[in-house]
Amino acid sequence: MHSTPSPATASAPALDGQGIRVEAATRRYGAVTAVEDLSLAVSPGEVVAVVGPSGCGKSTLLSLVCGLERPDAGTVAADPAALMPQRDLLLPWASALDNAALPLRLRGAGRREARAAAAPVLAEFGLAGFERARPGELSGGMRQRVAFLRTLLAGKPVLCLDEPFGALDAIARAEMQRWLADALAREPRTVLLVTHDVEEAVLLGDRVAVMSPRPGRVVADLRVDVPRPRVATDPAVVELRARALAALGGEAAA
Amino acid sequence: MIALLLVALLLGAWQLYAVHGPVDDLILPAPSEIATALWEDRALLWDNFLVTAQEVALGIVAALVVGFACATALHFWRPLRRATYPLLVASQAVPIVIVAPLLIVWLGFGMAPKVAIIALICFFPIVVTTLDGLGRVDRDTLRLLRTLDASRWAAFRFAEAPAALPAALSGAKIAVAVAVIGAVFAEYSGSSEGLGHLILQAIPQLETARAWAAVVVLAAFAVALFYALDLAQRRLLPWTTNERTS
């Protein structure tokens, strides 16, 4: 079912760019060095999960890739990227449909046109019937879905997901992980997924990049050669999880 | 329930004081006399009420439109904000009694100067709350919009303006009470109709109860306006109340 991706969005971008290429990037905020000498390459269409302790500069990495900030040293080159922030940041006055369609409107589409383009995407990704609901009326998981679809409809080849499920309870989280894996199978993108959950990283990533505490840099880069759909209890997943945790712990002890 | 009891208690005390106290009823009429005046002069009060109500309603709408526009301008251009904010505050300190005759010279005796005076009074709280609302938009939201290629104008239109709308209405709610006082002052300064005009005429005619009846109508109007704006806020901007309950 997931073997033949069929992009649902008319705005699905071509994945023939350069992906993401971060080389020896350093970013400081005053006296604090958030990331230092950080290098990471993501090929077009690849999903890389970034794990690391809190405050290790994961969000800074995303800001750099999205072009919101520039590195103080080193280079960051990436295809156009859309950010899904940690908090969903949905507009409280707008319906789920209008929130998801926001990037289309920001690019100049009329209200009707944007809604017509976004409605089938909402339906396809399990939000049929909730088009008119405001964020305040949606569950946490649904809000994250809308936020993700907003990112998707930006029509950019790169998606930067900043702890998208961090605020959800364990059950909603597991459900959303399956949902995201399915969504990315249908709508392949170059993805940088920041998380503090090693299991989530292994379940969703083609690779798992482990970052050191601040100043952050990549200390391990693990390839996840486990066929999808993956389950947390798969021995291969468990083993990779252990290796990633070891890499995290080893850095913490150093 | 308690509110009603409180009003009844106050009216009772007032009645006793006005009837048995040392103050002449030409200065302080008893609630019963005011009630009688309300009934007997109902046609007169109603006609003048319509004039004042129109002035106040137009004044508040004008203040909302101009205030929102001004707040937007000040929000977009920080230098302008720094330059004009002190002036704005200062303008609020100028007593309306001083400005009113000038406005009447400029705008004539009709509806226009009254609307202008009321708008002037309501303008300030609306600008302050709107500006606050515009500035209160999450910085992360604005960053997000930037990654979605939003122009400065688009960020205003899709995020800042809708966020500031409830704030503007809150400003208008604050302004309602002073708007009614402003209307009376405006009519004092030169008019031939309206509740302020009626009060101005009733007092030298020793029709104190009628003047007080006009005050009752004005107060009731202010209360009604306040709740009307509250209702508008709930109806037009339901997410502001949804958020609180969820």
Side-chain angles (χ1 to χ4, degrees), chain A residues 63 66-69 81-83 85 87-89 91-93 102-103 105-107 134 136-137 150 154 156, chain B residues 138 140-141 143-151 154-155 157-160 162-163 236 238-239 242-243 246:
Chain A
S63 293
C66 289
L68 287 168
E69 290 171 28
L83 176 70
R87 292 180 295 141
D88 57 64
L89 297 179
L91 303 174
W93 50 84
L102 182 67
R105 301 222 53 203
L106 292 174
R107 285 206 308 262
R134 288 206 180 81
E137 299 158 345
R150 177 183 60 196
K156 304 202 175 188
Chain B
D138 205 308
D140 287 342
T141 299
R143 271 162 61 95
L144 172 75
L145 291 176
R146 263 167 59 203
T147 74
L148 299 175
D149 303 322
S151 62
R157 184 178 158 209
F158 288 104
E160 292 174 322
L236 301 176
W239 66 90
N242 270 359
E243 287 299 275
S246 70

Side-chain angles (χ1 to χ4, degrees), chain B residues 28 39 45 49 75 130-131 134 144 161 165 197 201 223 234:
Chain B
L28 184 71
W39 179 249
L45 286 165
F49 163 73
H75 177 68
T130 307
L131 205 52
L134 286 169
L144 172 75
L165 223 55
H197 175 75
Q201 278 197 323
V223 172
R234 281 163 202 269

Side-chain angles (χ1 to χ4, degrees), chain B residues 51-201:
Chain B
V51 174
T52 306
Q54 205 178 341
E55 292 164 359
V56 172
L58 284 174
I60 289 177
V61 169
L64 263 173
V65 172
V66 180
F68 202 90
C70 275
T72 304
L74 295 181
H75 177 68
F76 267 85
W77 292 292
R78 286 202 161 269
L80 184 71
R81 179 173 180 173
R82 272 196 294 272
T84 54
Y85 219 61
L87 215 67
L88 242 145
V89 179
S91 79
Q92 208 51 27
V94 177
I96 286 300
V97 213
I98 304 289
V99 196
L102 188 64
L103 283 169
I104 285 170
V105 169
W106 283 344
L107 299 173
F109 275 88
M111 181 78 73
K114 284 92 180 176
V115 172
I117 287 167
I118 294 160
L120 210 64
I121 295 175
C122 299
F123 175 75
F124 184 71
I126 291 172
V127 170
V128 173
T129 52
T130 307
L131 205 52
D132 201 43
L134 286 169
R136 194 109 29 99
V137 172
D138 205 308
R139 279 191 52 208
D140 287 342
T141 299
L142 296 175
R143 271 162 61 95
L144 172 75
L145 291 176
R146 263 167 59 203
T147 74
L148 299 175
D149 303 322
S151 62
R152 183 71 190 84
W153 169 250
F156 172 75
R157 184 178 158 209
F158 288 104
E160 292 174 322
L165 223 55
L169 274 182
S170 293
K173 270 154 77 178
I174 298 171
V176 157
V178 277
V180 172
I181 298 177
V184 171
F185 269 126
E187 288 171 2
Y188 262 44
S189 308
S191 67
S192 51
E193 50 188 349
L195 287 174
H197 175 75
L198 191 69
I199 294 170
L200 190 64
Q201 278 197 323

